């Protein structure tokens, strides 16, 4: 049993509930005066909304977001969201002005456009990821500007959309001549793939890297010559002739609506000096600029 007096307990409880502070504050002001006028911005969607069949995303070319506040910083710190891989979706949802939008169903490329804008509005356009040189493995700061990154819009002259306002596109494989219907991956797909990869890393060890390419492909393919069975698709992906697999992957990569995050990298290690075009990663670290840590 605690020996503290009733008075002590009461004082502490009122501190927790904030009552004590309130009583010392001057008469509270009307709520409208406490509103902070945050900048909102219209962000263009790389898909132009052409792959969505429902409002409000259908044919929507631009979405409005607000800048991050303490509320969004809480989301970024939430261990549960980080652990179950939903932190980015929660953050985007929180910053979107239109709360009807299902962030999980959005294309990765559209989500990336929103992520970059949220980051730039919140912490500025300078981003300094740590990159490991692909050749010598030296890790180094690689400062980039998030301003003016090129947007790769969906170009319906270059892909064959099965039907208007669907995320379904057809492609004929050059060697086997089979017709593949594929989709561009959504946030939900990426989340599932990440979980599958974690599982296969435990099971396969080093071989997991090879499995990655066919996993992504199997997730993008909806049917092959009309066959929709997931097991058959997955088996086909593992045994597809390399030329077909490469052609399909290039076709998807080249036409995926997204923000172009590729940058010319030159290794700072003077013994190396390796040059390569690399894709800048967009993870949760993206929201924790080094100056803030
Ligand atoms: Zn290097």
């Amino acid at each position: 049993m605690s020996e503290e007096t009733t008075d002590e307990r009461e004082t502490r409880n009122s501190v927790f509930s904030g009552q004590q502070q309130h009583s010392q504050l001057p008469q509270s002001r009307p709520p409208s005066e406490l509103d902070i006028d945050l900048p909102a911005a219209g962000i263009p969607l790389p898909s132009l909304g052409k792959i969505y069949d429902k409002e409000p995303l259908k044919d929507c070319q631009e979405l409005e977001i607000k800048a991050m506040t303490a509320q969004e910083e809480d989301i970024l710190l939430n261990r549960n969201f980080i652990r179950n891989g939903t932190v980015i979706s929660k953050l985007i949802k929180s910053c979107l002005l239109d709360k009807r939008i299902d962030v999980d169903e959005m294309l990765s490329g559209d989500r990336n456009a929103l992520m970059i804008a949220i980051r730039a509005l919140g912490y500025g356009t300078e981003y300094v990821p740590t990159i490991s040189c692909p050749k010598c493995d030296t890790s180094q700061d690689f400062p980039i500007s998030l301003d003016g990154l090129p947007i790769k819009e969906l170009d319906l002259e270059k892909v064959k959309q099965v039907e208007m306002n669907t995320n379904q596109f057809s492609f004929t494989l050059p060697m086997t001549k089979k017709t593949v219907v594929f989709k561009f991956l959504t946030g939900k797909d990426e989340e599932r793939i990440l979980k599958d990869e974690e599982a296969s890393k435990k099971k396969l060890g080093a071989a997991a890297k090879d499995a990655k390419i066919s996993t992504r492909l199997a997730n993008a393919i909806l049917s092959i010559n009309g066959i929709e069975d997931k097991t058959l698709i997955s088996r086909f992906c593992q045994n597809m002739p390399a030329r077909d697999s490469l052609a399909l992957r290039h076709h998807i990569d080249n036409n995926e609506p997204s923000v172009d995050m590729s940058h010319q990298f030159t290794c700072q290690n003077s013994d190396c000096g390796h040059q390569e075009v690399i894709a800048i990663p967009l993870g949760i670290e993206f929201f924790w600029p080094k100056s803030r840590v």
Side-chain angles (χ1 to χ4, degrees), residues 222-283:
L222 298 170
S223 72
I224 300 165
N225 274 0
I227 295 168
E228 294 176 5
D229 185 274
K230 288 280 163 212
T231 317
L232 291 179
I233 289 173
S234 178
R235 198 177 301 156
F236 182 81
C237 286
Q238 280 158 19
N239 301 305
M240 196 182 332
R243 199 179 136 208
D244 277 356
S245 160
L246 205 64
L248 179 58
R249 271 190 285 136
H250 280 171
H251 181 72
I252 296 176
D253 287 350
N254 291 340
N255 294 296
E256 181 177 28
S258 66
V259 181
D260 188 356
M261 291 299 284
S262 60
H263 277 71
Q264 176 69 43
F265 167 84
T266 304
C267 182
Q268 285 166 19
N269 175 0
S270 51
D271 293 335
C272 175
H274 177 69
Q275 292 198 343
E276 187 176 328
V277 175
I278 55 166
I280 304 300
L282 283 183

Side-chain angles (χ1 to χ4, degrees), residues 159-201:
V159 281
K160 236 175 159 177
Q161 195 170 28
V162 174
E163 244 179 88
M164 267 178 78
N165 291 104
T166 57
N167 184 8
Q168 291 181 20
F169 302 87
S170 76
F171 179 75
T172 307
L173 297 173
M175 237 176 118
T176 53
K177 306 290 178 204
K178 290 185 195 296
T179 302
V180 165
V181 175
F182 70 90
K183 66 168 172 172
F184 295 113
L185 298 178
T186 63
K188 201 192 241 168
D189 295 326
E190 299 278 1
E191 247 170 53
R192 196 185 50 241
I193 291 170
L194 217 64
K195 272 182 194 156
D196 288 352
E197 277 174 8
E198 290 296 313
S200 69
K201 232 185 259 171

Side-chain angles (χ1 to χ4, degrees), residues 31-233:
S32 63
E33 279 188 55
L34 295 170
D35 283 349
I36 301 163
D37 195 18
L38 291 167
I43 309 304
L45 294 184
S47 74
L48 306 167
K50 287 177 185 166
I51 65 110
Y52 304 111
D53 63 348
K54 285 193 206 87
E55 303 284 340
L57 287 176
K58 185 180 181 182
D59 295 323
C60 167
Q61 306 206 346
E62 203 178 277
L63 283 179
E64 276 207 273
I65 57 161
K66 66 165 186 85
M68 282 196 274
T69 62
Q71 193 188 333
E72 282 77 31
E73 296 206 298
D74 284 347
I75 292 175
L76 286 170
L77 286 170
N78 186 302
R79 280 163 190 273
N80 278 333
F81 297 163
I82 294 170
R83 206 177 303 129
N84 64 25
T86 58
V87 61
I88 298 294
S89 292
K90 301 269 190 214
L91 176 75
I92 295 174
K93 177 127 201 155
S94 183
C95 289
L96 278 173
L97 296 193
D98 190 336
K99 299 300 177 196
R100 293 173 299 167
I101 293 166
D102 185 345
V103 175
D104 293 326
E105 294 297 342
M106 290 185 80
L107 281 198
S108 278
D110 286 345
R111 286 163 55 98
N112 286 352
L114 295 173
M115 269 175 78
I116 293 163
I118 290 166
R119 163 58 164 75
L121 267 179
Y123 303 127
T125 53
E126 197 201 26
Y127 175 46
V128 190
T130 303
I131 303 285
S132 286
C133 171
K135 198 179 172 197
C136 74
D137 219 26
T138 307
S139 66
Q140 51 208 279
D141 284 353
F142 187 64
I144 63 162
S145 169
L146 300 174
D147 212 17
L149 291 171
I151 289 186
K152 220 171 81 200
E153 285 181 356
L154 179 68
D155 184 349
L156 290 178
E157 305 216 320
K158 291 186 182 157
V159 281
K160 236 175 159 177
Q161 195 170 28
V162 174
E163 244 179 88
M164 267 178 78
N165 291 104
T166 57
N167 184 8
Q168 291 181 20
F169 302 87
S170 76
F171 179 75
T172 307
L173 297 173
M175 237 176 118
T176 53
K177 306 290 178 204
K178 290 185 195 296
T179 302
V180 165
V181 175
F182 70 90
K183 66 168 172 172
F184 295 113
L185 298 178
T186 63
K188 201 192 241 168
D189 295 326
E190 299 278 1
E191 247 170 53
R192 196 185 50 241
I193 291 170
L194 217 64
K195 272 182 194 156
D196 288 352
E197 277 174 8
E198 290 296 313
S200 69
K201 232 185 259 171
K202 279 175 198 153
K203 220 168 69 186
L204 297 172
K209 223 177 181 179
D210 298 331
K212 198 172 165 175
I213 293 169
S214 61
T215 308
R216 289 190 71 81
L217 212 49
N219 273 281
I221 295 176
L222 298 170
S223 72
I224 300 165
N225 274 0
I227 295 168
E228 294 176 5
D229 185 274
K230 288 280 163 212
T231 317
L232 291 179
I233 289 173

